[in-house]
Amino acid sequence: MFETETFLAAAMLPALMIAFSAGILSFLSPCVLPIVPPYLAYMGGVSVTEMEGDRAARRRAVLAAVFFVLGLSTVFLILGAGASALGRAFASYRPYLETAAGIVVVIFGLHFLGLFRIGFLDREVRVEAGDQGGSAFGAYFLGLAFAFGWTPCLGPILSAILSLAGSQAEIGKGIFLLGIYALGLGVPFLLVAAFFPQMKRPMAWMKRNMGVIEKTSGVLLVVVGLAMATGYLTVFAFWLLEALPFLAAFG
């Protein structure tokens, strides 16, 4: 039998993979991707046209994007700490909570797949940042507001990651897990800001294929939810440890 610490190291790996993938899918969601260029331009105090041909404008957009990502990461890290603390408080009921959370995540996945629609998840939210455009403080504030205001859109995927965070044995691991989710969501913002002219064509393709992206998100949620509800996420962790013994070094 594997030592507990070694198992936890292996169990963390699939959770991190899921968290990073979920962050990218959150970025590609219908209520995030379309607003990225105007938001970056606003936060940098430039226009979308200037971002296309002016390197100085793109540098300002990159700086704003960094503070924006720091803002949304702040909220996600706090949520990760809260989910982990809650999971520890109800540790004796963890198997039941994981099953219930898995069922909820599956329901969200079926919503994305279009089998039925959950009304509040279809609401589109816009966050206003007042007159803070063009400043690092304004970008950070908008990142905070973004993390809260886009909950109806990010909620289904975020709920899966928070459920995984709640299942971690240590609060630090839950925080780290949400940090990886924030990384998956935030890095694309930075890439678009830094390479906007080159990213225009890929983003246009993504917009045209929003339906496929949404269904991919649904499949991910259903798979993760079923794995959580049935305990197969744990089985997968053990399989990883057997297939990749070097993971024991992280124990």
Side-chain angles (χ1 to χ4, degrees):
M1 170 127 2
F2 296 110
E3 295 181 0
T4 301
E5 290 184 358
T6 302
F7 165 70
L8 290 176
M12 193 67 177
L13 184 59
L16 293 175
M17 294 165 57
I18 292 169
F20 188 75
S21 301
I24 293 175
L25 288 174
S26 293
F27 174 83
L28 297 176
S29 63
C31 58
V32 175
L33 183 63
I35 56 87
V36 170
Y39 263 54
L40 288 173
Y42 170 76
M43 291 187 298
V46 297
S47 68
V48 174
T49 302
E50 288 175 320
M51 285 176 56
E52 292 183 24
D54 189 337
R55 291 185 178 180
R58 285 202 297 276
R59 284 197 293 269
R60 294 182 63 180
V62 170
L63 179 63
V66 168
F67 280 90
F68 174 81
V69 171
L70 288 175
L72 64 87
S73 297
T74 299
V75 175
F76 292 146
L77 293 178
I78 292 172
L79 290 175
S84 296
L86 190 63
R88 290 189 65 180
F90 294 94
S92 58
Y93 300 98
R94 184 170 294 165
Y96 304 103
L97 293 176
E98 287 181 356
T99 299
I103 293 172
V104 171
V105 171
V106 168
I107 291 173
F108 285 153
L110 296 178
H111 161 85
F112 275 151
L113 287 172
L115 271 67
F116 53 80
R117 305 302 295 182
I118 302 173
F120 78 92
L121 296 180
D122 286 324
R123 288 186 304 170
E124 197 166 329
V125 182
R126 288 289 183 266
V127 179
E128 300 295 337
D131 59 353
Q132 299 296 327
S135 71
F137 172 80
Y140 181 78
F141 170 80
L142 192 58
L144 294 173
F146 182 96
F148 284 114
W150 259 255
T151 299
C153 181
L154 303 181
I157 294 178
L158 183 58
S159 66
I161 307 308
L162 287 174
S163 299
L164 288 173
S167 67
Q168 298 304 313
E170 301 173 12
I171 291 179
K173 289 185 177 180
I175 294 174
F176 185 59
L177 193 62
L178 266 293
I180 295 299
Y181 171 77
L183 190 67
L185 177 58
V187 166
F189 276 98
L190 299 176
L191 291 176
V192 172
F195 305 102
F196 183 66
Q198 296 88 344
M199 295 295 292
K200 285 183 64 179
R201 182 172 294 181
M203 289 181 68
W205 180 87
M206 293 171 194
K207 290 177 183 178
R208 291 194 301 269
N209 291 275
M210 274 298 176
V212 175
I213 293 171
E214 190 171 22
K215 285 180 170 53
T216 300
S217 300
V219 170
L220 175 66
L221 287 174
V222 170
V223 170
V224 171
L226 289 175
M228 291 171 60
T230 60
Y232 270 94
L233 202 59
T234 301
V235 174
F236 179 59
F238 273 117
W239 176 83
L240 270 181
L241 193 57
E242 292 179 349
L244 305 172
F246 68 86
L247 290 175
F250 298 97

